[in-house]
Amino acid sequence: MSKQHTISQAAADFLEEEHRALVGGRWMTGHGGDPQPLIDPSTGNSIARIAPASIEQADAAVEAARVAFHDRRWSGQTPAQKQRTLLRVAELIERDAQTLAELETLNGGKLYAAALRGEVAHAAETFRYYAGWCTKLPGATFEPSVPGQRFHGLIRHEPLGVAAQIVPWNGPLVMACWKLAPALAAGCSCVLKPAELTPLTALYLGRLLLEAGVPEGVVSILPGPGGKLGQRLARHPQVNKVAFTGSTEVGKQLLADARGNLKRLSLELGGKSPVLIFNDANLPRAIAGAADAIFSNAGQVCVAGSRVYAQAGVYQEVLDGLADAAGRLKLGPGLNPDSQMGPLISASHRESVRALVESGIREGAQLVTGGEPVSGDGFFYSPTVFTGAGEDMRITREEVFGPVVTVTPFETANDAIRQANRSRYGLAASVWTRDLARGHQVAESLESGIVWINSHGIPELSMPIGGYKQSGWGREHGLEGLKTYMETKSIMARLD
Ligand code: NAD
């Protein structure tokens, strides 16, 4: 057995500190209630305590963001200055990558190597990518057709003001960066609310933003509960936009909360993503890809491939292959380099996974492997494969957000597309085939914000991602993601 990774002194020191909210450029003890423990989900033990920010602190953060936006301390900087600062943020994330990855592992239950090489590296790349847009954002010019008069017409993109950003616990650092980097590149001021279970890396990022030279007041970071703080931000009359990643249920609630001042709203919500494996697929790759699509981060991934559809000729092999992969996965804490799958985030989340699996069994699906919580420390759940799950069963329809996959046969491409599209969600999908023409044809027919052909779950900053149907509104990443933080203004200048 390899030696357990020992956390650095820097991470140990950070955990020991008092964890405070960043409110308008000042670090303040949260006034929203008693300090709450933060839990290592691989042991169930407390690793730190944090007091939630109060409603008054949320209001102060919004006010500071509004003032900062209007005095243009950030939005008025030249594109080159903003670019330099955001590039510096990327460098600082890389400088402190080990500490960030350790905190992400301890608080979020991730595998350390994946956190370091995957999430933290990608977080830095996100700032680098959007830094580049600062100096490259295009507008447009037109020659208007006004009879008898000459005009120059130009279209500009302007930052829309104060953005409230609410993120979940399954990718605490990377999701904070997916929100903050485009908003800052656009010139907005931000109030970020991390998930109550996993605020540490977002708070650490707050330090790095200040160190990089993001002016005080431009970014506030408020740890605390969604129902109070998140709702306050969503209802706040001085907030111009809410950018939310989380469950479809809370996303729907935000529609009502954001209505008061008709805030812009972007929603990255849940998924039940299909994986379509055709007879001619490179089977070892497809099976390994499908296993990774559902078991990485213990299935707590918005694009998790939770419904596998395998063509009749390879169905049994796919089912056996996935069950075999599930059975061989080594579960354990993320700091142990031998671990291949970490825990679920909390006891209550594990209970909701358990209940959904029970419903599958009760409704008549057949359990091939897994299907139970792992006894002992932490919130581990065994990798689970179902077959015979009917189209209307909860296990086929509802997002489990755990390491649970259904495997279902199909005959024709049309049959596969019909089953794949029979979902209220439409976030992601993958198609596995050696026939690229078919891959593209099927991709076009899937009701899904992103489709991978012969891969699954690869993040790409230049490609927009987001949901069809009830998986969301708007897109993150790419120029499209940046423009969700901007208003478009047309200017017509008369020349004669
Ligand atoms: P959640 O909706 O419970 O919470 C997400 C965030 O919203 C948290 O910060 C929470 O504190 C806050 N919140 C909760 N209630 C709120 C309210 N009434 N008003 C304002 N904010 C509120 O989701 P979760 O359980 O933390 O995360 C899992 C969900 O996130 C899954 O459904 C998953 O699919 C989704 N997700 C989607 C994407 C995507 O890009 N589409 C990415 C990751 C996760």
Side-chain angles (χ1 to χ4, degrees):
M1 189 173 121
S2 321
K3 204 165 149 281
Q4 167 122 345
H5 175 91
T6 313
I7 65 163
S8 61
Q9 196 56 46
D13 290 346
F14 181 77
L15 287 173
E16 283 295 310
E17 291 175 19
E18 184 196 353
H19 300 293
R20 291 181 287 179
L22 178 59
V23 183
R26 290 178 48 219
W27 292 100
M28 300 171 71
T29 302
H31 290 153
D34 294 334
Q36 300 295 318
L38 295 174
I39 303 297
D40 172 354
S42 72
T43 61
N45 297 333
S46 167
I47 51 167
R49 296 176 77 76
I50 190 165
S54 64
I55 295 294
E56 293 70 27
Q57 288 172 317
D59 289 349
V62 172
E63 176 60 11
R66 195 189 64 77
V67 169
F69 184 70
H70 287 292
D71 70 19
R72 295 171 54 78
R73 71 186 78 162
W74 175 251
S75 59
Q77 291 191 12
T78 65
Q81 283 172 316
K82 288 200 280 272
Q83 174 175 277
R84 244 191 323 271
T85 304
L86 298 186
L87 287 173
R88 181 79 184 125
V89 176
E91 284 165 14
L92 295 177
I93 291 173
E94 282 171 349
R95 182 196 68 189
D96 292 356
Q98 182 180 344
T99 309
L100 284 163
E102 287 167 350
L103 295 173
E104 209 72 327
T105 300
L106 280 174
N107 194 195
K110 298 190 175 279
L111 301 179
Y112 175 70
L116 183 68
R117 285 188 227 114
E119 307 224 352
V120 177
H122 189 76
E125 263 333 290
T126 304
F127 271 93
R128 207 163 269 135
Y129 175 80
Y130 278 109
W133 272 118
C134 294
T135 50
K136 286 148 202 92
L137 184 68
T141 61
F142 284 94
E143 210 159 310
S145 304
V146 183
Q149 295 174 8
R150 283 200 60 221
F151 280 87
H152 270 174
L154 71 106
I155 298 173
R156 335 179 345 102
H157 301 289
E158 300 179 351
L160 57 65
V162 176
Q165 306 179 306
I166 302 174
V167 293
W169 44 259
N170 64 321
L173 177 68
V174 96
M175 300 231 183
C177 292
W178 286 354
K179 296 276 182 273
L180 288 169
L184 290 172
C188 288
S189 298
C190 306
V191 180
L192 176 79
K193 197 206 79 61
E196 47 271 64
L197 297 177
T198 55
L200 290 177
T201 45
L203 292 171
Y204 195 101
L205 178 65
R207 290 181 180 195
L208 301 184
L209 293 171
L210 292 173
E211 184 182 342
V214 175
E216 289 182 3
V218 173
V219 175
S220 290
I221 302 178
L222 307 174
K228 282 189 189 157
L229 277 185
Q231 188 180 68
R232 175 64 187 161
L233 294 173
R235 291 183 176 175
H236 203 294
Q238 304 289 356
V239 169
N240 304 99
K241 175 195 166 94
V242 174
F244 173 77
T245 299
S247 60
T248 294
E249 285 58 43
V250 174
K252 288 180 180 177
Q253 173 62 39
L254 290 175
L255 295 185
D257 290 332
R259 191 177 52 184
N261 65 340
L262 280 185
K263 297 179 175 60
R264 308 299 180 255
L265 194 55
S266 53
L267 302 171
E268 300 287 332
L269 307 177
K272 189 77 184 172
S273 299
V275 173
L276 276 50
I277 303 178
F278 283 84
N279 285 340
D280 69 344
N282 176 333
L283 222 48
R285 266 203 196 186
I287 291 168
D292 199 47
I294 187 62
F295 299 134
S296 84
N297 206 29
Q300 301 165 113
V301 179
C302 54
V303 298
S306 50
R307 293 183 291 149
V308 169
Y309 295 101
Q311 204 163 14
V314 294
Y315 165 72
Q316 195 59 47
E317 220 175 317
V318 168
L319 180 62
D320 294 345
L322 270 172
D324 182 55
R328 278 190 289 107
L329 274 177
K330 192 167 176 342
L331 274 55
L335 290 178
N336 181 342
D338 292 332
S339 300
Q340 295 171 317
M341 195 178 98
L344 297 175
I345 191 68
S346 65
S348 72
H349 183 52
R350 183 166 71 169
E351 175 50 29
S352 81
V353 171
R354 195 200 58 75
L356 262 176
V357 167
E358 289 292 310
S359 82
I361 296 166
R362 237 187 358 263
E363 292 182 40
Q366 291 105 51
L367 198 56
V368 181
T369 185
E372 52 195 7
V374 177
S375 58
D377 294 340
F379 313 126
F380 293 91
Y381 193 91
S382 57
T384 299
V385 179
F386 272 113
T387 187
E391 291 188 3
D392 293 320
M393 290 183 189
R394 287 182 63 202
I395 199 70
T396 307
R397 287 185 292 112
E398 294 183 23
E399 184 181 44
V400 181
F401 224 55
V404 179
V405 64
T406 58
V407 186
T408 307
F410 70 86
E411 295 292 336
T412 62
N414 282 345
D415 179 25
I417 292 164
R418 185 195 62 75
Q419 294 197 62
N421 285 342
R422 198 166 183 278
S423 171
R424 70 171 177 144
Y425 295 114
L427 187 58
S430 62
V431 185
W432 300 78
T433 174
R434 283 197 170 91
D435 179 347
L436 263 190
R438 174 168 50 202
H440 281 279
Q441 283 163 13
V442 173
E444 277 184 21
S445 304
L446 291 171
E447 294 163 359
S448 175
I450 189 165
V451 182
W452 291 279
I453 299 175
N454 294 326
S455 66
H456 191 109
I458 311 292
E460 167 52 44
L461 289 161
S462 63
M463 308 281 297
I465 184 163
Y468 276 43
K469 301 191 275 189
Q470 295 187 37
S471 285
W473 277 1
R475 295 292 180 269
E476 278 189 326
H477 299 357
L479 180 56
E480 213 170 321
L482 178 65
K483 284 195 177 164
T484 68
Y485 289 97
M486 308 195 91
E487 293 284 11
T488 300
K489 179 181 285 176
S490 295
I491 298 178
M492 289 179 65
R494 185 161 174 180
L495 301 181
D496 53 11

